């Protein structure tokens, strides 16, 4: 009798594990609902939202988009090299991915500094309430992502490492979620209204 062994793990456990994907979907739903609310209020006060958007630096937003997308590219390469059992190259790509995240944080910090210096705060108007909450919440995710990347890379570099591909893929999935959220926020905040 011939029997076939089916590996259901591939079906039910996506890269990084099911728990990571549940977290990612919840985060995307949360950001999605906030963006829907932003658009709703933008339709209620179109002139205010338009004038407020003009106060944002779209160049900073575009450069930050490049930083995160490049960082995501390096993270994908880190996963690939880990699968190829080249931990040294994977570690290098981890560092490059983290560098992109750090550049994002620096530029976002500069942007925040300019906003605060010009008196634009959370209570300036409804547009800037959304701006600060959405970008601030995203910034927290990027910081968390950098901590996860650093911790995973540290674990991977240890001689007696038990870091597996599930850990690397989970880390990458979270990092790509940060990219995806920014790709949603950048056009909505900086370009549309």
């Amino acid at each position: 009798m011939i029997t076939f062994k089916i590996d259901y793990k591939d079906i039910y456990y996506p890269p990084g594990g099911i728990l990571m994907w549940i977290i990612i979907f919840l985060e995307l739903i949360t950001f999605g609902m906030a963006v829907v609310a932003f658009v709703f209020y933008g339709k209620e006060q179109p002139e205010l939202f338009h004038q407020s958007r003009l106060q944002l630096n779209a160049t900073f937003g575009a450069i930050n988009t490049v930083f995160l997308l490049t960082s995501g590219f390096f993270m994908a390469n880190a996963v690939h090299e880990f699968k190829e059992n080249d931990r040294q190259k994977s570690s290098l790509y981890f560092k490059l991915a983290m560098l992109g995240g750090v550049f994002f944080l620096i530029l976002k910090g500069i942007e925040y500094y300019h906003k605060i210096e010009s008196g634009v705060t959370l209570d300036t108007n409804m547009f800037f309430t959304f701006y600060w909450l959405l970008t601030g919440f995203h910034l927290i995710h990027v910081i968390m992502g950098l901590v996860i990347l650093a911790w995973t890379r540290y674990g991977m570099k240890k001689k007696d490492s038990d870091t597996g591909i599930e850990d690397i893929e989970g880390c990458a999935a979270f990092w790509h979620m940060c990219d995806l959220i920014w790709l949603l926020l950048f056009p909505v905040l900086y370009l549309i209204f």
Side-chain angles (χ1 to χ4, degrees):
M1 180 170 157
I2 299 174
T3 59
F4 296 99
K5 184 177 179 184
I6 299 172
D7 185 7
Y8 290 102
K9 185 174 180 184
D10 289 343
I11 296 170
Y12 296 113
Y13 292 93
I18 194 73
L19 181 58
M20 180 56 72
W21 284 94
I22 290 171
I23 291 168
I24 289 170
F25 284 128
L26 289 174
E27 294 294 331
L28 291 175
I29 289 168
T30 302
F31 273 100
M33 290 184 331
V35 167
V36 167
F38 175 80
V39 170
F40 173 79
Y41 283 104
K43 298 277 185 206
E44 297 288 313
Q45 304 172 33
E47 187 59 32
L48 172 76
F49 273 55
H50 176 71
Q51 292 302 320
S52 297
R53 186 201 54 82
L54 294 177
Q55 295 177 48
L56 297 181
N57 189 329
T59 302
F60 278 10
I63 292 169
N64 263 341
T65 302
V66 171
F67 285 155
L68 281 184
L69 289 177
T70 303
S71 178
F73 170 77
F74 289 135
M75 191 64 230
N77 282 324
V79 172
H80 174 75
E81 294 301 334
F82 190 87
K83 286 180 178 179
E84 295 294 318
N85 208 24
D86 190 341
R87 288 180 180 239
Q88 188 173 3
K89 272 189 184 175
S90 182
S91 177
L92 171 65
Y93 283 124
F94 260 88
K95 283 196 279 190
L96 292 171
M98 288 187 289
L99 188 62
V102 169
F103 285 160
F104 178 90
L105 293 179
I106 290 169
L107 189 56
K108 184 50 73 181
I110 292 168
E111 184 179 8
Y112 282 171
Y113 174 79
H114 289 301
K115 290 286 159 276
I116 292 168
E117 281 292 302
S118 63
V120 176
T121 62
L122 189 66
D123 60 351
T124 297
N125 61 37
M126 187 59 77
F127 177 91
F128 283 110
T129 298
F130 277 106
Y131 166 80
W132 284 104
L133 291 176
L134 288 169
T135 61
F137 195 45
H138 177 261
L139 188 78
I140 291 168
H141 282 77
V142 172
I143 292 168
M144 286 174 31
L146 285 171
V147 169
I148 292 169
L149 263 66
W151 183 260
T152 304
R153 181 179 172 273
Y154 171 75
M156 181 179 72
K157 297 277 292 172
K158 292 189 319 191
K159 284 189 189 265
D160 58 341
S161 174
D162 61 349
T163 301
I165 190 61
E166 299 84 14
D167 302 314
I168 304 298
E169 288 178 336
C171 179
F174 187 88
W175 194 245
H176 291 312
M177 178 198 66
C178 293
D179 295 347
L180 181 60
I181 290 170
W182 184 254
L183 287 175
L184 178 68
L185 294 181
F186 171 61
V188 169
L189 290 173
Y190 290 80
L191 304 177
I192 291 178
F193 278 101

